[in-house]
Amino acid sequence: MTDAQETAADTALRTTGGGPPDDDVPANGLPIPLLEPREGVPPVVASEDALAEVIAAFAAGSGPVAVDAERASGYRYGQRAYLVQLRREGAGTALIDPVGCPDLSGLGEALAGTEWILHAATQDLPCLRDIGMLPTSLFDTELAGRLAGFPRVGLGAMVESVLGYALEKGHSAVDWSTRPLPEPWLRYAALDVELLVDLRDALEKELDRQGKLEWARQEFDAIASAPPAPPRKDPWRRTSGMHKVRRRRQMAVVRELWTARDRIAQRRDVSPGKVLSDAAIVEAALALPANVAALSALPGFGHRMGRRQLEQWQAAVDRARALPESELPQPGQQVAGPPPPRAWADKDPVAAARLSAARAAVSALAEELNLPQENLITPDTVRRVCWEPPVPATEESVAAALTGHGARPWQVGLVAPLLVSALAATA
């Protein structure tokens, strides 16, 4: 049993904050179902007057604020928030409808300087930023669980193992753009922030016990201060099944169909997959149909698709077929940095040996520290340092290289000596 698992089994930790008191812990050790929020399900805030009341209440509250957001992935275009949940001591729980209240910058300003508690913060921060909410400091309970060595770090698993409660799991993938939102969904949403403060406090104690609290703080600061991700270059290349598409003309078909689909999905505000599946795009690219009849015979373009729809997809195929060779996409996406590791042995056997030694050392340390290897240092950072190591490869120069690639001070202190040894051993 790991330290983290022993801690999870410790009743003292399980009863932190709002967790079940000792006399409520079932004799059989099973988690207690959490069925209702403490103050019941609050009304959905969808007007400026109601929002003003929430802002005043949360500004007057105390301590950190638990924050969550629900999106409609798979149903709507993009990743906008369709419900925002908050909870704070002295303010209770609030459920805010960003459709009725699209600008939450006033709430964000009222919470300036307050620590936000989120679970898997990087998933929710982009959609919260879009409506004017961005934390200056945060505590990510999922990342804290990873650093503490918990084997399962989903919110339900963490609440269950740390606090002894079982959360309902049935509504995570529903269409949150539905209006009005059903009562069971709202209850589920309110319960998602019900115990986040308690979970945060328990995890902070566990990280401190393991000597990892400063590591976590550095990680949280990096997330809070990170700029928005730049637009992805050539997003059409991420079409599922793209590995089957080898010829440049076929790639052009994928690009044209993907672009047409994205334009339609954005206009209709639906998930692109509901307009045309990735599998259908790949089938059309491989077949290069010459006309609507040939297109309609392909999987994904069946009898349910109307003539007008088929014509618009065939038009995209025709555009790709008509492109001159000079305008066809290149086979591989140009990516800055080292080549894929599988190619290292042929391109640079010495670099391949460096990478092998470095990976082994990083893996051994991660296991010793009881945390995922990618949280100790990202594999991409290790690859970049091993492909073009600093010369000479001293602890100072390697530390500077790691920092340049975004590693935090705690990571640099642990990993730099390992990489120096690996680079020296394979010189």
Side-chain angles (χ1 to χ4, degrees):
M1 182 180 285
T2 66
D3 289 344
Q5 288 169 319
E6 289 175 357
T7 302
D10 181 4
T11 303
L13 177 58
R14 287 181 52 170
T15 59
T16 298
D22 290 342
D23 55 2
D24 281 352
V25 177
N28 59 11
L30 294 176
I32 300 170
L34 192 62
L35 304 177
E36 287 285 339
R38 280 169 248 195
E39 300 93 17
V41 179
V44 176
V45 174
S47 69
E48 292 304 317
D49 289 344
L51 178 60
E53 293 180 11
V54 167
I55 292 174
F58 275 78
S62 61
V65 57
V67 182
D68 191 21
E70 305 295 348
R71 299 176 297 279
S73 303
Y75 297 94
R76 295 288 182 175
Y77 185 86
Q79 293 295 314
R80 67 171 292 186
Y82 282 95
L83 188 70
V84 175
Q85 308 101 280
L86 304 98
R87 183 172 180 83
R88 192 180 192 190
E89 184 69 30
T93 297
L95 303 177
I96 304 175
D97 178 5
V99 177
C101 301
D103 181 6
L104 299 187
S105 56
L107 178 58
E109 291 166 7
L111 296 173
T114 300
E115 180 188 83
W116 293 23
I117 309 167
L118 301 105
H119 193 82
T122 53
Q123 295 182 20
D124 287 339
L125 287 179
C127 69
L128 290 169
R129 179 186 283 112
D130 289 345
I131 53 178
M133 295 184 66
L134 197 63
T136 52
S137 67
L138 63 84
F139 190 106
D140 186 331
T141 49
E142 185 202 47
L143 182 51
R146 292 182 185 279
L147 294 175
F150 283 88
R152 296 166 60 228
V153 293
L155 179 59
M158 294 294 293
V159 167
E160 185 173 317
S161 62
V162 176
L163 301 176
Y165 277 117
L167 290 175
E168 184 182 357
K169 304 172 184 177
H171 304 301
S172 60
V174 297
D175 180 4
W176 288 95
S177 68
T178 300
R179 292 296 182 273
L181 286 164
E183 182 78 7
W185 298 13
L186 296 174
R187 184 179 302 107
Y188 164 90
L191 289 173
D192 263 3
V193 292
E194 180 78 6
L195 294 178
L196 268 185
V197 175
D198 307 300
L199 182 60
R200 173 240 181 269
D201 292 344
L203 289 172
E204 182 179 60
K205 290 181 181 179
E206 173 61 10
L207 289 167
D208 190 36
R209 188 186 74 80
Q210 293 188 25
K212 299 175 180 177
L213 184 55
E214 177 56 29
W215 304 358
R217 286 173 175 156
Q218 290 180 25
E219 293 298 303
F220 301 157
D221 288 346
I223 294 173
S225 61
R232 182 172 278 130
K233 184 181 179 183
D234 291 347
W236 58 270
R237 291 184 184 270
R238 295 176 63 87
T239 302
S240 180
M242 190 70 191
H243 62 281
K244 303 175 187 175
V245 182
R246 309 258 181 206
R247 290 157 47 197
R248 293 174 63 200
R249 184 73 59 186
Q250 294 172 332
M251 291 180 186
V253 172
V254 173
R255 183 174 63 186
E256 290 293 334
L257 284 171
W258 188 98
T259 303
R261 179 185 70 173
D262 192 68
R263 186 171 58 249
I264 294 167
Q266 187 171 14
R267 186 180 72 243
R268 290 169 48 188
D269 189 20
V270 296
S271 169
K274 289 188 175 296
V275 177
L276 187 68
S277 70
D278 280 10
I281 289 177
V282 170
E283 289 288 346
L286 296 176
L288 291 172
N291 51 50
V292 167
L295 179 69
S296 65
L298 298 176
F301 298 92
H303 62 279
R304 287 196 225 172
M305 192 171 286
R307 177 81 186 184
R308 186 175 176 183
Q309 287 178 291
L310 287 168
E311 287 175 348
Q312 72 183 359
W313 301 130
Q314 184 61 45
V317 174
D318 291 343
R319 287 194 296 272
R321 290 169 60 95
L323 286 174
E325 288 286 328
S326 60
E327 294 182 22
L328 296 178
Q330 293 301 316
Q333 188 175 13
Q334 298 301 312
V335 179
R342 63 180 179 273
W344 285 34
D346 292 332
K347 290 179 178 291
D348 190 338
V350 177
R354 288 195 295 262
L355 181 60
S356 179
R359 280 174 160 176
V362 169
S363 178
L365 181 59
E367 187 172 350
E368 179 185 334
L369 295 172
N370 189 32
L371 51 78
Q373 187 173 325
E374 63 272 17
N375 290 115
L376 174 58
I377 192 75
T378 65
D380 180 68
T381 298
V382 175
R383 286 195 295 269
R384 289 175 183 270
V385 173
C386 289
W387 185 250
E388 294 182 344
V391 180
T394 64
E395 194 159 323
E396 292 75 19
S397 65
V398 171
L402 289 171
T403 301
H405 292 306
R408 266 68 72 190
W410 75 272
Q411 296 174 313
V412 172
L414 289 169
V415 174
L418 300 182
L419 296 188
V420 170
S421 298
L423 296 174
T426 56

